[in-house]
Amino acid sequence: MAKYKIAWLPGDGVGVEVMDASKLVLDKLNFDAEYIHGDIGWEYWCKEGDAFPDRTIELLGKVDAALFGAITSKPVKAAANELIPELQNKGLTYRSPIVRMRQTFDLYTCLRPCKAYQGNPLNYKEGIDIVIFRENTEGMYSGVEFNPVPKELSDLLTSLSKPFGAFKDIPGDEYAISCKINTRKGSERIIRAAFEYAKNFGRKKVTVVHKANVVRATDGLFLEIAKEVAKDFPGIKMDDANIDAMTMWILKDPFNYDVVVAPNLFGDIISDLSAQLVGGLGFACSGNIGNKLAVFEPSHGSAPKYSGLDKVNPIAMILSAKMMLDWLGETEKGTLLEKAVADVINEGKVRTYDMKGINTTTEMAKAIADKI
Ligand code: IPM
Ligand code: MG
């Protein structure tokens, strides 16, 4: 029997190709795993009205970890139009499977390392090394939303909130509400994870991102908890920044940032920005990590226009596989893999189109595997 059971979730478009690329590399490492395919993606939405079917949820309950490629997402109305005729007009609503997966399995840490590998022609500057901890289950992604707004809710808000007075006479179908919900538990555990990481990996500083000057309830709570948690880590410096200022400062001086922790949506934003500093989405690996399960995926989407062309850069996926190895405790293999990636980047002989090269996804994966 294999040592690990890994759910294999290629999803849509280039997700399939980058997953194949990572398989090539994992096999070269002799990673002892049984890969179990899971259905997920756009075709299951169209055919079954669910892009993340129950059987896949069941599978995830039984594995040690999962690798996930990418998924095509469309806005709610466009998605409804693509359902097979039998499923039309059943009131089915499309919700992003990855967001559901994070919430279903309480994968509360979204870990996104952004490292400028030496010699990458796409680096903003050499030497950047920022690790992002994004809260992954709540905040603006709580899914508590109203469009139209029911009368009971507007009546209640009128009685409870003074600023709501500005909206109270607007008809329910003329506005929408998305709730940002941050819990003490949800905030504390992600902030603690960031500090623990800093401590374990010899990092000096944790920067807390928020907008507490305006979004006082939720971001105020996040910042308040961060200050409490920081007291338990006297060796680690803490500073904080408003999300807007943060986007400027990180461009001005990326070397001032070490570990960064942010609520869900701000973490989403800051992780794309930071990914661009180290080569863009082709290098942006990520882990969705809970206490029992972790799912590793590149931050990029399914890129339909490149689908089937064997063209995109598989490094984001391959580095996500490296994160999986580390999380499973296979750190020797993880380190070997990262070194292979770093060497291929630094040598510069094999480069995909994003790096202004001519090599294919498969050629890049083979070049990395050849270094192992
Ligand atoms: C990400 C993506 C997802 C998110 C989308 C695809 C739902 O942007 O993983 O950063 O918003 O979390
Ligand atoms: Mg994102």
Side-chain angles (χ1 to χ4, degrees):
M1 217 176 78
K3 187 166 175 197
Y4 299 105
K5 275 196 169 74
I6 306 296
W8 192 257
L9 313 173
D12 302 315
V14 302
V16 179
E17 295 159 51
V18 295
M19 288 279 283
D20 287 346
S22 71
K23 178 78 174 15
L24 228 138
V25 175
L26 286 166
D27 286 350
K28 190 72 192 286
L29 283 163
N30 291 321
F31 177 54
D32 186 11
E34 178 195 355
Y35 299 101
I36 310 168
H37 176 92
D39 292 341
I40 190 163
W42 193 247
E43 73 175 278
Y44 303 100
W45 164 254
C46 300
K47 282 195 310 208
E48 302 177 21
D50 193 351
F52 182 36
D54 287 347
R55 57 185 178 279
T56 308
I57 297 184
E58 245 171 69
L59 167 68
L60 285 172
K62 289 191 258 181
V63 294
D64 298 300
L67 280 176
F68 171 52
I71 269 192
T72 300
S73 286
K74 296 191 184 174
V76 171
K77 281 193 184 124
N81 290 337
E82 292 198 23
L83 287 166
I84 54 168
E86 297 87 304
L87 294 173
Q88 297 269 344
N89 306 319
K90 289 213 160 54
L92 296 171
T93 314
Y94 186 82
R95 267 195 80 204
S96 159
I98 184 65
V99 173
R100 280 172 58 203
M101 200 189 300
R102 291 166 181 163
Q103 291 172 338
T104 307
F105 290 95
D106 205 18
L107 309 176
Y108 60 88
T109 297
C110 184
L111 175 57
R112 293 188 159 169
C114 299
K115 192 194 278 189
Y117 287 95
Q118 203 182 341
N120 183 351
L122 302 175
N123 284 341
Y124 179 66
K125 285 178 183 159
E126 291 284 337
I128 296 172
D129 186 3
I130 300 169
V131 179
I132 293 166
F133 279 76
R134 163 190 178 186
E135 200 292 312
N136 217 18
T137 57
E138 48 180 54
M140 280 309 292
Y141 284 64
S142 301
V144 183
E145 306 196 277
F146 303 92
N147 179 15
V149 177
K151 177 139 190 334
E152 307 92 285
L153 181 60
S154 78
D155 286 349
L156 188 65
L157 287 170
T158 305
S159 70
L160 293 179
S161 160
K162 212 165 171 210
F164 187 75
F167 305 98
K168 75 176 177 26
D169 296 324
I170 305 175
D173 55 0
E174 289 289 320
Y175 70 121
I177 294 180
S178 298
C179 299
K180 168 160 160 143
I181 304 177
N182 283 43
T183 63
R184 180 167 274 281
K185 175 181 164 199
S187 308
E188 182 172 343
R189 63 187 181 175
I190 187 69
I191 293 164
R192 213 166 264 290
F195 275 93
E196 290 286 356
Y197 179 96
K199 189 172 148 194
N200 294 339
F201 291 93
R203 300 270 177 165
K204 305 267 172 312
K205 185 171 83 165
V206 174
T207 302
V208 182
V209 179
H210 57 82
K211 187 75 190 182
N213 58 341
V214 179
V215 190
R216 289 164 300 179
T218 44
D219 283 353
L221 179 69
F222 197 80
L223 182 57
E224 178 192 310
I225 294 171
K227 287 178 181 161
E228 283 166 23
V229 171
K231 290 188 194 135
D232 294 339
F233 297 85
I236 314 248
K237 205 173 155 239
M238 178 197 130
D239 65 7
D240 70 281
N242 281 307
I243 175 69
D244 52 343
M246 181 74 183
T247 60
M248 286 198 325
W249 289 338
I250 208 166
L251 284 182
K252 190 171 174 207
D253 183 10
F255 302 106
N256 188 31
Y257 298 96
D258 195 347
V259 176
V260 171
V261 63
N264 210 334
L265 182 60
F266 297 157
D268 182 41
I269 294 167
I270 216 75
S271 58
D272 271 16
L273 175 62
S274 305
Q276 193 55 42
L277 299 180
V278 299
L281 289 174
F283 296 84
C285 52
S286 92
N288 302 282
I289 303 171
N291 292 336
K292 293 202 196 93
L293 177 72
V295 179
F296 298 85
E297 52 153 351
S299 302
H300 61 68
S302 64
K305 74 174 182 185
Y306 293 125
S307 177
L309 301 181
D310 196 21
K311 183 169 174 150
V312 299
N313 189 345
I315 289 181
M317 183 78 234
I318 290 173
L319 287 174
S320 303
K322 178 247 183 244
M323 293 176 72
M324 177 183 78
L325 293 170
D326 289 346
W327 185 75
L328 289 168
E330 298 286 339
T331 47
E332 214 172 284
K333 287 187 169 38
T335 307
L336 262 176
L337 176 47
E338 185 177 25
K339 181 159 185 321
V341 170
D343 286 352
V344 169
I345 293 174
N346 204 12
E347 280 177 15
K349 287 192 211 135
V350 178
R351 285 181 172 170
T352 41
Y353 84 96
D354 55 325
M355 302 167 85
K356 310 278 179 278
I358 53 159
N359 295 103
T360 62
T361 308
T362 313
E363 284 164 351
M364 176 60 93
K366 283 197 174 135
I368 294 167
D370 282 348
K371 293 276 176 205
I372 294 167

